[in-house]
Amino acid sequence: MQPKELLALAEEFGNPLYVYDAATIEQQYNRLTSAFSKVENLRINYAMKALSNITILKLLKKCGSGLDTVSFQEVQLGLHAGFSPEKIIFTPNGVSFEEIEEVAKLGVQINIDNLSVLEHFGAKYPKVPVCIRINPHVMAGGNSNISVGHIDSKFGISVHQMPHLLRIVENTGMHINGIHMHTGSDILDIEVFLYAAEILFDAAKNFKELDFLDFGSGFKVPYKKGDIETNIEELGKKLSKRFLAFEKEYGRTLTLAFEPGKFLVSEAGFFLAKVNVVKQTTSTVFAGIDSGFNHLIRPMFYGSQHAIENISNPKGKERFYTVVGYICETDTFANNRQISEIKEGDILSFRNSGAYCFSMASNYNSRFKPAEVLWKDGKGHLISKRETFEDLIKNQVEIEI
Ligand SMILES: *Cc1c(COP(=O)(O)O)cnc(C)c1O
């Protein structure tokens, strides 16, 4: 989106503001399906924890997407957005057995990542088909918060526990209809992904009635020019070929599934915030914005480097700024970043603000969560309202003291 368009939205809807470009989401969806066009049965399940606004869910549904969910509430939101239960997969970790039961009762595909849960579920519901999440123990990417495939990870059933797993399946007579891996949200190297895929293919041979193989996600998107990103087209070519060969070997039609979050929505998002103060200290120029990690926690939480543009002065002379928030603790968005000259009152735009930004926003410091706008067909559509004081107190119970 152009700085002028974003600036007009900040004026129309106020700030801080989240803006999502519908066309970018559609493009990313189509890019992924095109990369795997050789695969007859391809299934994309959008990992909705990245951005769960109902209109965004509807947009992806219109593209043909299913949903990957991690909580009962996400399943409810998905159903509310119009997804049928068969288009939803539930991939929880560490949730209660009751929650898994509740979701299964809705007819949603269950993905189990723990042997004790598998045994319990298989004994109680031997007729309900279940997908199993395998941990292939492949280290993808460098961020330890989001890398989930390594040996100490809490996710998935270790591929080394296959004999135990098979015993449970045999004893309970349950039906395993899918096999799944998700190696983490930071895949740099396609070869590493393909290596993990081989482990999944190997594991799949242990089950005779699979309907799908789910390769999870973790596709990396660029944050700035020159950043490494997952080459989806190359991955599509290589993995499709290998998948089709495996399908033949397996002797049964299979669906190839993915569950991307970041890949579909990260680049579509812009976070807009006004500069309250420009503060020159002895060594640094701070630009303090009218927001903080309550609205955008990724830089503080993951060390994410979101590109920042001054959309009020996009062509200005570039200077160095440290961009900080208003939270009463260290709250740095960028250190010594080159940004076109900032004056108080200017609007800054943070790129890659579609995934894990609004969905991780909080009311810390008793601030309202920002509004969200979808940019579609050259117009901004409000898709969630800015919170009000009512929202801050609506669940509080005031007692006589
Ligand atoms: C979070 C998550 C995803 C999505 O990861 P991205 O890096 O956003 O694509 C996919 N699958 C599972 C099981 C997840 O927990």
Side-chain angles (χ1 to χ4, degrees), residues 20 42-43 66 79 125-126 149-150 165 168 182 247 263 274 321 325 330 377 384:
Y20 312 116
L42 180 72
R43 168 97 178 246
L79 293 172
Y125 305 99
H150 54 89
L165 198 164
I168 292 172
H182 171 63
E247 206 179 17
F263 181 81
K274 192 179 76 185
Y321 296 94
T330 302
D377 306 323
S384 82

Side-chain angles (χ1 to χ4, degrees), residues 47 49-50 68 70 91 133 180 182 184-185 216-219 259-263 356:
K49 72 176 187 287
D68 179 63
V70 294
T91 306
R133 177 172 184 175
H180 167 276
H182 171 63
S185 292
S217 173
F219 307 134
E259 47 196 36
K262 208 188 268 178
F263 181 81
Y356 310 106

Side-chain angles (χ1 to χ4, degrees), residues 56-354:
I56 301 293
L57 300 184
K58 287 183 173 169
L59 178 72
L60 278 154
K61 179 172 177 286
K62 215 168 152 193
C63 292
S65 184
L67 280 189
D68 179 63
T69 58
V70 294
S71 70
F72 183 75
Q73 291 75 12
E74 282 195 351
V75 173
Q76 282 182 305
L77 273 172
L79 293 172
H80 180 86
F83 287 86
S84 60
E86 311 84 69
K87 293 286 264 179
I88 306 178
I89 181 164
F90 183 52
T91 306
N93 174 262
V95 306
S96 72
F97 189 77
E98 291 72 30
E99 184 167 343
I100 296 175
E101 281 182 305
E102 288 301 306
V103 173
K105 277 180 191 148
L106 295 170
V108 167
Q109 172 73 51
I110 304 294
N111 189 1
I112 291 181
D113 90 330
N114 185 318
L115 287 176
S116 69
V117 175
L118 186 72
E119 187 159 25
H120 193 177
F121 194 87
K124 201 161 172 189
Y125 305 99
K127 296 227 152 48
V128 178
V130 164
C131 172
I132 43 176
R133 177 172 184 175
I134 296 289
N135 186 342
H137 301 305
V138 173
M139 183 75 184
N143 192 321
S144 60
N145 278 358
I146 52 179
S147 177
V148 296
H150 54 89
I151 194 86
D152 296 327
S153 163
K154 68 168 184 160
F155 299 97
I157 298 170
S158 167
V159 71
H160 305 304
Q161 290 175 307
M162 190 56 79
H164 190 176
L165 198 164
L166 292 172
R167 234 180 1 260
I168 292 172
V169 172
E170 196 182 314
N171 291 345
T172 55
M174 67 195 303
H175 172 197
I176 303 300
N177 69 337
I179 184 163
H180 167 276
M181 70 169 190
H182 171 63
T183 50
S185 292
D186 217 358
I187 293 173
L188 302 172
D189 189 340
I190 288 179
E191 296 310 319
V192 174
F193 194 90
L194 292 170
Y195 174 73
E198 283 310 317
I199 296 172
L200 198 77
F201 287 131
D202 248 0
K205 289 179 197 157
N206 291 299
F207 306 94
K208 299 287 166 268
E209 296 184 311
L210 294 179
D211 297 321
F212 66 95
L213 300 186
D214 190 331
F215 291 90
S217 173
F219 307 134
K220 195 168 170 60
V221 298
Y223 271 60
K224 56 180 186 313
K225 276 204 187 75
D227 262 6
I228 303 171
E229 63 176 307
T230 309
N231 186 336
I232 289 290
E233 287 70 27
E234 189 188 340
L235 180 68
K237 230 182 250 162
K238 291 186 168 165
L239 186 59
S240 299
K241 191 162 166 235
R242 181 66 188 93
F243 180 80
L244 293 175
F246 177 79
E247 206 179 17
K248 263 210 187 106
E249 187 188 333
Y250 188 71
R252 189 180 151 108
T253 314
L254 289 166
T255 294
L256 170 60
F258 286 110
E259 47 196 36
K262 208 188 268 178
F263 181 81
L264 293 177
V265 297
S266 174
E267 291 158 284
F270 299 83
F271 179 59
L272 311 182
K274 192 179 76 185
V275 175
N276 281 337
V277 288
V278 175
K279 183 174 188 172
Q280 169 86 60
T281 65
T282 45
S283 57
T284 308
V285 186
F286 287 102
I289 62 169
D290 194 21
S291 181
F293 71 62
N294 51 329
H295 296 152
L296 178 62
I297 202 172
R298 295 181 52 76
M300 292 297 289
F301 197 41
Y302 300 117
S304 307
Q305 300 285 316
H306 294 255
I308 302 172
E309 288 162 278
N310 180 1
I311 56 174
S312 300
N313 183 25
K315 301 242 160 66
K317 185 170 162 21
E318 298 215 322
R319 295 183 183 280
F320 285 93
Y321 296 94
T322 291
V323 179
V324 294
Y326 56 22
I327 297 289
C328 297
E329 54 191 283
T330 302
D331 194 7
T332 307
F333 291 102
N335 256 316
N336 263 324
R337 199 70 85 65
Q338 247 179 318
I339 302 171
S340 54
E341 183 160 5
I342 298 175
K343 290 193 300 296
E344 291 176 357
D346 282 356
I347 306 286
L348 301 188
S349 164
F350 295 70
R351 282 185 177 262
N352 288 83
S353 295

Side-chain angles (χ1 to χ4, degrees), residues 24-50:
T24 302
I25 297 176
E26 289 162 343
Q27 267 163 31
Q28 287 295 91
Y29 187 88
N30 294 332
R31 221 184 119 194
L32 190 54
T33 50
S34 305
F36 287 89
S37 59
K38 292 244 165 39
V39 174
E40 202 169 318
N41 301 303
L42 180 72
R43 168 97 178 246
I44 309 296
N45 294 317
Y46 167 54
M48 66 175 280
K49 72 176 187 287

